[in-house]
Amino acid sequence: MKTQQLLNFARDQWVPGDASSLTELPSAIDGSVVAATGSGGLDFEGMLSHAREVGGPALRALTFHQRARILKGLGLAILAAKEPLYELNYATGATRKDGWIDIEGGAGTLLSFSSKGRRELPDAHVLLDGPLEPLSKGGGFVGQHIYTSLQGAAVHINAFNFPVWGMLEKLAPTLLAGVPAIVKPASATAFLTEAAFRVMVDSGLLPPGAVQLVVGGVGDLFEHLGGQDVVSFTGSASTANKLKSQPVVLRESVKFVAEQDSLNASVLGPDAAPGTPEFDLFVKEVVNEMTVKAGQKCTAIRRAMAPAEHLDALEAATRDRLAATTVGDPRDEASRMGALVNRGQREDVRRQIGKLVDSGARIVAGDPEAAVGPEGGAFMQPVLLRTDEPWTASAVHDVEAFGPVSTVMPYRDLADAVALANRGMGSLALSLFTHSPEAARDFIGGAAAFHGRMLVINRDNAKESTGHGSPLPVLVHGGPGRAGGSEEMGGVRGVKHYMQRTALQSTPAMIAAVSAQYIPGGPKRVLEGHPFRKRMSELEIGDTLRTASRTVTIADIEHFAEFTGDKFYAHMDEEAARASPVFEGRVAHGYLILSFAAGLFVDPDPGPVLANTGLENLRFLTPLYPGDSMRVELTVRSKSLKSEETGVVRWAVEIFNQRDELVATYDLLTENVP
């Protein structure tokens, strides 16, 4: 592969680093130089200013939906350019299967956040957090928590093992939140990150200043951080601690999101004896986590725990499966496992294995010193260790060999398994293989506080499971304690890492104006025509239909009871209803009220409203008695573009009686023509 000098992307320009700052990057396959990287000469203070003064305002001018559409375009651009990226991927030591997780998995994360943003966030600039909080008896003074975009920059410091996904899983929530990012990839695989970054820049979708790239050291960047900035870090605990302890981070309370060392565990349940599906699934998963990406995954299984009476069988089955693993050139389709990222990383893994052995573990499969794979490469056999004394061999809970390495160990009973799993002092992921709901309940109750993500895998879900080591964009990725104490992704939860929550106190009208979303008690614009005859783009927040009234009779209630079979005493027994502390006599069914409400506001003819897709936040507030009347106010609360063909309108439905008391409220979701 021809050596190339990687370029930084600073202030919307591709800029080389000073020649004196360049570092050569070797191929994991044969050690040949594939690229040179460096960032010497960059104006890091200027890059931060550009992000804050150009990128931030440009992103914040866009709504959540407009940002989400950018993410979709970026994801599709990465997918369109995947083949050249796969070619670069091999030089990192990864097979095509490994690269699929990184490249197409990264693009999929962008697409997932785009979808979540359009479905779950408003087509606005402010995100409401929770319901309105009444602060006065009259309802004229209320509180509402809101999220707004931070006005600084996000500094993303990524690890070498996932040069594409690692970048995109941070960029997706950051850009959706409206915050510009400065991306700093690990040097070892920066050539693949830079190529993927170029695809996004060349797409023309990103506003000026939205993203910048540093393909070397960060110089004095940290000295210029402020309280509106966020650092999102993936890497070792020692580096994370060094960065978190920077004076400016402490002085300015810079938000620091860390995903770091994690001695993840997988536990074979007490019911999963040899011969059960769970035992076989456990062995398969341990070997898979040891060999995918050559074990260079922050979520890989480092500690495999089994009932003491099954440990010999587990060791033998795992050893046999590892023996069938072919290690070699990742470009060869016959290779099940490729190389570590470089020879330096391989030497570090060997040192960590030495520490595990010195602590009392012994190697039962694989030879870390054996020559394997093409000459000059960073190949190594997968290594399985065993310790029979997991409480005294403390290194197995403290030392992470970041490669194709795992240690099997026994536990006495479920309480012992919980204690051993928690001995890792915090992990990103833990998996439990059991078919026993009782075992799962007791284990999770004792261990969940120490683990960011937990999977219970068995014969019922194995075929559909994404496996132990697969972070998903809709779920949080992170963990407590040793794992960093932070979270990434998690759908909208991840977006909020780059936003500020503020408690806003004012009138409903003022909060509605600030948020560009209808708030109960906020202003309404009564329409002359029916809103169901308008396309979504023609509707405005606060547009309201006020219906005629309908009187509910005792005959209506009895007919509904006979028709549906709902003959609950409060609807059918006057004496029992009066004896209730809740009612003054027979009342209308809640679902009758909803049905009559629909009859009052639904326009029956075909039109821009395509379907009713849901009902949320239903509350019955005042009983409706025979002889009472009811009317409806139907108000546009928010709008979301689902696709080019359809959108979702959220309507606030308020049902009043003849005394203008609220009988019921709920949100109605309809699918509309945009």
Side-chain angles (χ1 to χ4, degrees), residues 142-160:
V142 295
Q144 175 69 60
H145 290 91
I146 63 171
Y147 278 100
T148 55
S149 307
L150 289 172
Q151 297 187 21
V155 176
H156 294 169
I157 302 176
N158 299 324
F160 69 79

Side-chain angles (χ1 to χ4, degrees), residues 223-294:
E223 295 177 18
H224 306 291
L225 294 176
Q228 287 289 306
D229 299 320
V230 182
V231 176
S232 184
F233 170 85
T234 299
S236 70
S238 59
T239 302
N241 290 334
K242 186 183 300 183
L243 295 176
K244 281 190 289 188
S245 62
Q246 293 288 313
V248 69
V249 174
L250 300 174
R251 183 179 68 249
E252 302 293 336
S253 297
V254 176
K255 248 185 174 179
F256 199 101
V257 181
E259 188 258 283
Q260 57 193 47
D261 298 353
S262 177
L263 272 78
N264 311 292
S266 188
V267 179
L268 183 67
D271 59 308
T276 64
E278 287 69 36
F279 182 90
D280 295 338
L281 289 167
F282 182 75
V283 173
K284 179 181 178 181
E285 193 71 5
V286 170
V287 172
N288 185 61
E289 288 296 308
M290 290 177 68
T291 55
V292 169
K293 276 279 185 175

Side-chain angles (χ1 to χ4, degrees), residues 158-375:
N158 299 324
F160 69 79
N161 52 341
F162 286 98
V164 180
W165 176 85
M167 169 177 65
L168 300 183
E169 64 103 3
K170 289 185 175 68
L171 274 179
T174 303
L175 295 177
L176 188 54
V179 176
I182 298 174
V183 178
K184 193 280 182 225
S187 294
T189 53
F191 53 88
L192 180 50
T193 305
E194 193 234 40
F197 193 94
R198 281 182 179 275
V199 170
M200 294 191 293
V201 171
D202 291 347
S203 74
L205 295 168
L206 288 162
V211 295
Q212 299 179 77
L213 178 70
V214 178
V215 292
V218 294
D220 64 350
L221 177 66
F222 268 64
E223 295 177 18
H224 306 291
L225 294 176
Q228 287 289 306
D229 299 320
V230 182
V231 176
S232 184
F233 170 85
T234 299
S236 70
S238 59
T239 302
N241 290 334
K242 186 183 300 183
L243 295 176
K244 281 190 289 188
S245 62
Q246 293 288 313
V248 69
V249 174
L250 300 174
R251 183 179 68 249
E252 302 293 336
S253 297
V254 176
K255 248 185 174 179
F256 199 101
V257 181
E259 188 258 283
Q260 57 193 47
D261 298 353
S262 177
L263 272 78
N264 311 292
S266 188
V267 179
L268 183 67
D271 59 308
T276 64
E278 287 69 36
F279 182 90
D280 295 338
L281 289 167
F282 182 75
V283 173
K284 179 181 178 181
E285 193 71 5
V286 170
V287 172
N288 185 61
E289 288 296 308
M290 290 177 68
T291 55
V292 169
K293 276 279 185 175
Q296 298 168 119
K297 292 171 57 184
C298 56
T299 54
I301 296 170
R302 304 299 177 196
R303 301 175 297 148
M305 303 172 181
E309 63 270 23
H310 302 324
L311 193 63
D312 290 341
L314 172 62
E315 177 194 323
T318 307
R319 187 172 58 241
D320 290 347
R321 195 173 184 93
L322 285 171
T325 300
T326 303
V327 179
D329 191 326
R331 296 169 295 192
D332 187 343
E333 292 184 2
S335 296
R336 168 71 185 276
M337 188 180 95
L340 279 79
V341 70
N342 53 41
R343 291 194 295 270
Q345 178 64 21
R346 182 179 63 183
E347 290 309 307
D348 183 70
V349 172
R350 287 171 173 170
R351 284 193 294 272
Q352 304 313 315
I353 292 173
K355 294 178 182 178
L356 295 172
V357 171
D358 290 344
S359 180
R362 66 184 189 279
I363 296 174
V364 294
D367 179 357
E369 302 295 334
V372 61
E375 186 176 352

